[in-house]
Amino acid sequence: MGQEDHLWACPPRTQAKLEILTHYLSAWFGILASNGFRHVFYIDGFCGPGRYLGGEDGSPIIATRLANSTAQKNPGFKATLIFVDNEPQAIEHLKARGAIKGRHSNVVVDLKQGAFTDEVDGIVGALEASPSSPVFSFIDPFGFSQSPFSTFKQLMRNKSSEIFINLMCGFMNRFKEHSDDRITQNIRDMVGTDDLTDIIRSTDPIDAICYAFEKNLRTIGEYTLKFMMRDEGNIRDNAFFFSGKHPRGFEKIKQAMWKVDPIHGNSFSAFRSGGSIQSDMFESGPQTQELYGLIANEFGGRSGVSVEEIFKWVIEETDTFLPPHARVELEMLSQRGAIRAIHDPSGSRRKRAKNTWPKRLLLNFA
């Protein structure tokens, strides 16, 4: 068997996933290094061989490259990268292709061959030895039998923990009423529920699976976000979920998702992509109209609301939106009289330019 025999293609959905991961990790490493964190952990629970059939880099190579770059720019910064895979060929390929060669001396790569669930206790032990270190875990299984919700809880141990999980919701839907209880138990274990009855009876079981999973994620991370993936037939196949404990990380994962879906910021379809990052022939630019009503409902009737408070609320309390989207909708609210007065506490007499909303401004809402 040749070295390439165990590699597989990198379809559009995988490319989208890796783009989200790349954008987020680039920001994550950089922000933590610049804020004085001297040691961070990145955990890849189902890392694969690090390379695809067409030569594209996989998640281990992406993480190593970004950690190296951060360490070069920030003396004293250290990253421990833990790559786990059950397939010996994957680990051997990572070694052979140089995943652990030529790295910065402050970037430690720990390759573990074995089932993710079997390795978690050892990983948690390493995390406990460095209790204040930020942790980002990327959990991307091929199915649902090797990633119970209990392992996610173990990895979300401190206030700087974040996790990015692939939930095979479409696959689960096909097996939710399987006659083999071991299979349905695996679904219950990953979703984090003892009973699938409500999911089975739901008019939209895939949505019900995602809702139950996200509800449980909120018990281990205050900030959660779903990004739906659709296959070449535009059928919902899987969804990526982010869960974290800090609003800055939430903002950065939103930004990463908008890079992949510049229209709605919450989904990708291989059907629409035509083999590349998706586009939509009927919509142009971010669709932020929903945010108009959300802001009006939240702040309507209030006076002296700072733009900074609005931006913070948009980041932390809306599903996908960000301050740039809020600027657009604040402009619309102002034009339509929903904002009655704008006060600049700095005393500046300069006229505010269109779509510019400095954080210091105070707004009176109708």
Side-chain angles (χ1 to χ4, degrees):
M1 179 181 291
Q3 280 193 339
E4 312 301 304
D5 291 346
H6 58 280
L7 302 184
W8 53 90
C10 185
R13 279 179 295 155
T14 300
Q15 294 172 24
K17 168 193 70 180
L18 294 174
E19 186 175 352
I20 293 173
L21 183 69
T22 299
H23 285 302
Y24 185 74
L25 278 184
S26 179
W28 187 74
F29 282 128
I31 290 171
L32 293 175
S34 63
N35 280 274
F37 287 98
R38 311 314 296 172
H39 189 191
V40 305
F41 285 86
Y42 169 80
I43 300 164
D44 195 330
F46 300 82
C47 66
R51 184 169 174 264
Y52 291 91
L53 201 55
E56 302 91 344
D57 288 339
S59 54
I61 306 302
I62 290 170
T64 304
R65 182 178 69 245
L66 294 173
N68 284 340
S69 176
T70 304
Q72 290 168 2
K73 296 173 184 176
N74 298 272
F77 173 81
K78 180 180 178 180
T80 296
L81 314 179
I82 302 174
F83 301 136
V84 184
D85 203 280
N86 200 33
E87 296 297 327
Q89 300 96 324
I91 300 301
E92 289 304 315
H93 194 275
L94 280 173
K95 293 178 180 178
R97 302 303 297 190
I100 61 174
K101 298 175 183 177
R103 70 187 188 281
H104 192 280
S105 59
N106 280 358
V107 176
V108 177
V109 172
D110 183 3
L111 300 177
K112 297 181 180 295
Q113 190 267 306
F116 176 59
T117 48
D118 295 338
E119 301 293 338
V120 166
D121 287 343
I123 292 171
V124 170
L127 301 181
E128 289 178 340
S130 187
S132 62
S133 294
V135 181
F136 182 82
S137 302
F138 179 48
I139 313 300
D140 186 19
F142 288 105
F144 48 78
S145 63
Q146 295 294 322
S147 47
F149 195 86
S150 58
T151 62
F152 310 150
K153 288 184 177 180
Q154 288 180 276
L155 297 173
M156 294 284 285
R157 297 182 68 84
N158 64 33
K159 63 181 180 180
S160 299
S161 300
E162 297 175 336
I163 197 164
F164 192 40
I165 306 165
N166 182 13
L167 185 76
M168 304 295 289
C169 50
F171 195 47
M172 288 178 171
N173 182 47
R174 294 196 289 272
F175 288 91
K176 65 183 182 296
E177 297 181 82
H178 200 279
S179 58
D180 188 339
D181 186 63
R182 292 172 299 177
I183 293 176
T184 54
Q185 184 61 53
N186 286 335
I187 295 175
R188 292 194 292 271
D189 286 345
M190 185 168 186
V191 174
T193 183
D194 295 326
D195 190 359
L196 297 178
T197 302
D198 288 345
I199 291 172
I200 292 169
R201 292 176 177 175
S202 172
T203 56
D204 187 342
I206 291 179
D207 187 61
I209 289 169
C210 290
Y211 176 81
F213 185 67
E214 187 168 12
K215 181 180 178 181
N216 289 328
L217 275 182
R218 291 185 187 278
T219 67
I220 61 175
E222 180 179 357
Y223 303 101
T224 67
L225 191 62
K226 178 183 73 175
F227 191 92
M228 181 61 70
M229 292 285 192
R230 293 176 177 267
D231 63 17
E232 287 73 10
N234 205 33
I235 304 300
R236 290 172 298 173
D237 185 65
N238 62 302
F240 279 92
F241 287 84
F242 171 87
S243 182
K245 301 182 179 181
H246 196 281
R248 189 76 184 277
F250 196 46
E251 179 181 13
K252 292 303 175 182
I253 195 68
K254 283 186 176 184
Q255 289 175 353
M257 291 177 175
W258 277 96
K259 292 280 188 181
V260 172
D261 178 9
I263 306 299
H264 300 286
N266 60 10
S267 66
F268 177 88
S269 175
F271 174 78
R272 290 186 290 166
S273 72
S276 61
I277 297 303
Q278 66 193 35
S279 61
D280 194 304
M281 68 180 69
F282 302 111
E283 298 176 326
S284 177
Q287 299 300 295
T288 63
Q289 299 90 333
E290 179 189 354
L291 185 56
Y292 179 101
L294 294 175
I295 293 175
N297 289 336
E298 178 67 21
F299 299 101
R302 290 180 55 186
S303 298
V305 181
S306 71
V307 172
E308 182 175 21
E309 178 185 348
I310 295 169
F311 286 174
K312 182 176 185 295
W313 177 83
V314 167
I315 292 169
E316 298 181 20
E317 302 297 334
T318 68
D319 286 341
T320 61
F321 297 117
L322 290 162
H325 309 131
R327 292 187 183 97
V328 174
E329 297 309 323
L330 284 174
E331 197 68 36
M332 294 300 298
L333 286 160
S334 179
Q335 291 176 11
R336 295 175 182 177
I339 296 175
R340 289 181 172 175
I342 303 172
H343 173 62
D344 188 342
S346 72
S348 173
R349 295 179 178 275
R350 293 180 61 184
K351 184 178 180 180
R352 183 185 63 84
K354 184 179 180 180
N355 287 327
T356 59
W357 292 90
K359 292 181 179 181
R360 67 179 184 274
L361 296 183
L362 302 177
L363 312 182
N364 294 348
F365 284 84

